[in-house]
Amino acid sequence: MADHTNLTLDVQDRIATLSVNRPDKLNALNEQTVRELGQAMDEITGRDDLGGVIITGVGEKSFVAGADIAELSRMGPVDGVDVSRLGQRVFRQIELSRKPVLAAVNGFALGGGCELALACHLRIAGENAQFGLPEVKLGIIPGYGGTLRLPRIVGKGRALELMLTAQFIKADEAYRIGLVNKVVPKPQATEGGEAPSAKDALMAAARQMMGTILANGPIAVGLAIECATRGMEMSMDDGLALESNLFGLLAATQDMREGMAAFLEKRTAAFTGR
Ligand code: COA
């Protein structure tokens, strides 16, 4: 991977783990970090040896505590449009990735950090995670797609409550309203042994969920993401047409033959992504 200043990339078992790495600023997203996220996603989606991406923040305290307020504080209206468009473009790239992207939320996911998690296909939170869109406290609104994605995920009433009150919610409440798929409890120390860190437990759970996804047909996984994402942005009739066309396209893949043959022969499928 190209050198990045504010990101780290770790690759293991076809899973890329992308960590936002500005821990002294609670992993706040400055412009450079947003650009690097876009470049890293380009690289990952172009690599055949990688099946999926986990996005997290370095350390135990914060996933991403928002856009970099020091940088935002200097913007004028024209810069404001540019800042928003850059974040929207990169987060849309994540949302439309055909490789599954999972957010492992290890602490604060605020403002642009919450929006980053919302752009991912799935969200797993550590018990210490906190979510919020506190932009109105700063006199702005979420500008990286959060005003659109949060209502689609949790419904308009709950989304507006978060956006208008600027209050943070904890992981259990985020789970209750459907903002996260799973909460990973902090591990307890075993007799005579130290407990693994909350971050290690979270990453293990994220890798396990990603591993389950990567055992399935990769083209089918990618097209399911596309149908669910684009389908929500279309009329029912257009969405159904997209679904039937992609369903038909899958019938042209070796993976469909292999998946069905494996079922009938009572064996595990060996998908090739062809
Ligand atoms: N942008 C820029 N810097 C940020 C930041 C952000 N979004 N969030 C945190 N930081 C920086 C702090 O300024 C501080 O830097 P410093 O040590 O150079 O002063 C450092 O990260 C640690 O943050 P601090 O506020 O001291 O930690 P805390 O534990 O007391 O509070 C938060 C944690 C998350 C509650 C608090 O940092 C916060 O409210 N951050 C802003 C959240 C926000 O409004 N995000 C939306 C932005 S659009």
Side-chain angles (χ1 to χ4, degrees), residues 24-26 28 61 65-70 72 108 110-112 134-135 138 140 168:
D24 54 329
K25 296 292 173 195
L26 302 186
K61 183 173 173 179
D68 189 310
I69 299 170
L72 290 185
F108 293 115
L110 306 174
E135 281 86 347
L138 303 167
I140 54 173
F168 302 168

Side-chain angles (χ1 to χ4, degrees), residues 2-224:
D3 272 351
H4 293 302
T5 312
N6 299 328
L7 294 179
T8 64
L9 176 75
D10 167 69
V11 170
Q12 216 186 317
D13 304 329
R14 302 190 58 234
I15 302 172
T17 300
L18 206 48
S19 304
V20 178
N21 186 20
R22 295 184 78 213
D24 54 329
K25 296 292 173 195
L26 302 186
N27 301 323
L29 298 176
N30 59 4
E31 181 186 333
Q32 185 182 347
T33 311
V34 176
R35 288 191 190 283
E36 288 182 2
L37 266 174
Q39 289 158 5
M41 283 303 298
D42 271 342
E43 290 167 31
I44 292 166
T45 49
R47 271 176 64 168
D48 286 344
D49 61 323
L50 297 176
V53 190
I54 297 172
I55 297 183
T56 191
V58 163
E60 295 272 348
K61 183 173 173 179
S62 186
F63 173 71
V64 167
D68 189 310
I69 299 170
E71 224 176 61
L72 290 185
S73 67
R74 297 187 288 269
M75 73 184 168
V78 176
D79 316 318
V81 173
D82 289 345
V83 164
S84 174
R85 285 192 180 160
L86 171 67
Q88 287 177 351
R89 176 168 62 72
V90 171
F91 286 16
R92 183 71 167 157
Q93 182 186 354
I94 291 170
E95 182 171 50
L96 291 177
S97 159
R98 285 193 177 171
K99 293 185 179 172
V101 187
L102 195 159
V105 181
N106 55 312
F108 293 115
L110 306 174
C114 185
E115 294 177 282
L116 174 60
L118 291 168
C120 296
H121 305 128
L122 298 167
R123 286 155 288 283
I124 299 192
E127 208 178 76
N128 67 330
Q130 293 197 52
F131 295 81
L133 288 176
E135 281 86 347
V136 292
K137 266 195 179 170
L138 303 167
I140 54 173
I141 58 171
Y144 295 165
T147 63
L148 297 145
R149 292 193 181 101
L150 188 61
R152 283 170 160 83
I153 293 173
V154 302
K156 185 179 166 194
R158 291 197 161 103
L160 276 176
E161 185 179 341
L162 280 169
M163 275 189 256
L164 303 185
T165 65
Q167 283 173 344
F168 302 168
I169 56 169
K170 296 199 166 132
D172 55 350
E173 174 68 356
Y175 179 73
R176 196 184 68 79
I177 67 172
L179 177 50
V180 298
N181 298 81
K182 189 184 174 84
V183 179
V184 181
K186 190 170 186 292
Q188 302 297 318
T190 53
E191 214 173 304
E194 253 185 53
S197 75
K199 177 75 181 287
D200 288 346
L202 171 67
M203 295 313 289
R207 296 182 63 78
Q208 188 179 44
M209 188 182 278
M210 185 61 85
T212 304
I213 297 170
L214 297 189
N216 298 318
I219 309 177
V221 164
L223 295 189

